[in-house]
Amino acid sequence: MTKVIAVRYQERGKTYYSSVDIPSVDKGSYVVVETDQGPEYALCTGLLSEVSDEVVAEMQEKTGLFPITRLADAKDEADFLDNREAAVEAFEFCAREIERHGLPMELVGAEYNLDRSRLLFYFTADGRVDFRRLVRDLASAFRTRIELRQIGVRDEAALLGGLGACGRELCCATFLDEFRPVSIKMAKEQNLSMNPAKISGACGRLLCCLRYEEEAYRDAKHRLPRKGDRVRVADGSGVVEQVNLLREILTVRLDGSNDELEIVQVPAAEAEVLSRGKSGKAKAARSEED
């Protein structure tokens, strides 16, 4: 068995796991982790636990399982804050060098590791970029190992932060520690407008929050009548005109309506399905296949 704890190297971003060899470390503590890129200042975000050798091997394969060497002290904190200020200056210098070299890339961020043995720059670009001359100039200016890492637009949004259409801070910049796949099918199942501007986030990709209620929508679609189904309700029988999946309320057009349509809204639990419409039959067929 190996003792491990969850850590985060940045204020926001992906959570990693580290092995613990020191006597005491708690959630919320700052520690120094010895990674393959050098020492890193990290925040413990999870509870200490013991895992089997099989799980340890899986962690090693996926993200690495670097050891926590010691609890961070006041000097480590001071070095970390100094490094953040120095990284801002490095960012500005690198941006000028990119412009001077005429490279088709956009600089997003810069960061030092704890002992400044590595300086990492994040950038976005439409394709591959030959930045070998840029790296030589940066290495000559900063006298340390230089790494340039190309990231996607979602990672860029997570680094830069901002506000979403909901008025809150971007999920990727606050609590999401990894990006999970999002598909246009999720938007369709939630009866959302297919207007790209309404279902896309600040990064230009589909909203991450489309995943949050996906399971609830899928469950409701399996259980509730669909548009076009004939149902019996307290006021009579009729055809389902609309389904509110979240509130589980049906809008039903009753039979025998003359010029003025008689529309009622009833809870789905109070409706009895008499026959399936085209969409309902298709749903039943898909359920049988599943």
Side-chain angles (χ1 to χ4, degrees):
M1 302 292 284
T2 302
K3 292 182 179 180
V4 300
I5 195 168
V7 299
R8 184 174 290 170
Y9 299 116
Q10 300 172 345
E11 292 180 359
R12 51 184 177 263
K14 189 172 181 178
T15 296
Y16 295 86
Y17 290 91
S18 292
S19 58
V20 181
D21 296 325
I22 57 180
S24 176
V25 59
D26 300 314
K27 180 179 179 180
S29 302
Y30 284 93
V31 295
V32 176
V33 181
E34 189 62 41
T35 74
D36 56 359
Q37 302 294 335
E40 295 282 2
Y41 185 80
L43 170 67
C44 295
T45 59
L47 298 175
L48 184 66
S49 59
E50 292 189 351
V51 298
S52 64
D53 293 340
E54 292 78 7
V55 175
V56 168
E58 185 178 346
M59 290 178 174
Q60 287 279 19
E61 184 178 351
K62 287 185 176 180
T63 61
L65 189 67
F66 303 113
I68 294 174
T69 56
R70 56 186 169 83
L71 291 173
D73 55 24
K75 182 180 182 304
D76 294 320
E77 182 180 7
D79 289 343
F80 173 74
L81 295 176
D82 288 342
N83 290 345
R84 285 206 305 190
E85 293 182 6
V88 173
E89 298 178 4
F91 177 93
E92 294 172 351
F93 180 87
C94 183
R96 292 194 296 268
E97 289 298 298
I98 289 173
E99 184 177 0
R100 185 173 70 84
H101 284 285
L103 295 174
M105 55 194 290
E106 180 183 353
L107 193 63
V108 177
E111 64 180 37
Y112 278 102
N113 64 344
L114 190 59
D115 64 357
R116 294 201 187 185
S117 61
R118 180 195 60 151
L119 176 54
L120 171 62
F121 294 97
Y122 298 98
F123 73 94
T124 59
D126 292 334
R128 295 180 63 87
V129 180
D130 184 358
F131 46 68
R132 287 174 292 183
R133 291 177 57 192
L134 173 64
V135 171
R136 287 197 293 268
D137 291 344
L138 293 174
S140 176
F142 294 105
R143 302 293 180 181
T144 191
R145 182 158 55 95
I146 302 296
E147 181 180 342
L148 274 77
R149 183 176 301 172
Q150 186 171 355
I151 61 176
V153 290
R154 284 189 168 185
D155 296 296
E156 179 185 13
L159 282 172
L160 298 180
L163 298 178
C166 59
R168 299 174 64 90
E169 282 192 76
L170 299 179
C171 299
C172 59
T174 50
F175 63 88
L176 285 183
D177 59 4
E178 64 177 341
F179 294 111
R180 299 178 63 190
V182 183
S183 68
I184 195 69
K185 181 181 178 182
M186 295 178 182
K188 292 179 179 179
E189 286 187 339
Q190 296 174 34
N191 296 327
L192 297 177
S193 167
M194 290 298 103
N195 184 343
K198 293 185 177 181
I199 58 176
S200 300
C203 61
R205 298 292 189 265
L206 289 172
L207 291 163
C208 291
C209 54
L210 290 176
R211 289 198 66 95
Y212 298 167
E213 296 174 345
E214 171 64 13
E215 188 176 339
Y217 274 100
R218 189 170 297 177
D219 173 69
K221 279 203 167 187
H222 277 288
R223 292 186 294 104
L224 305 184
R226 287 202 169 186
K227 182 177 179 180
D229 289 356
R230 287 189 56 78
V231 296
R232 178 183 291 118
V233 296
D235 295 323
S237 58
V239 177
V240 177
E241 293 285 303
Q242 189 176 355
V243 182
N244 187 318
L245 294 175
L246 282 184
R247 297 177 61 195
E248 299 195 4
I249 291 179
L250 308 179
T251 299
V252 180
R253 176 170 54 83
L254 296 177
D255 295 339
S257 301
N258 297 321
D259 295 336
E260 187 174 340
L261 296 179
E262 188 176 356
I263 304 293
V264 296
Q265 288 189 330
V266 296
E270 298 177 8
E272 177 188 357
V273 177
L274 300 177
S275 62
R276 297 290 187 184
K278 291 183 179 180
S279 61
K281 290 178 180 178
K283 179 185 75 170
R286 287 193 297 270
S287 298
E288 290 179 1
E289 291 176 359
D290 295 340

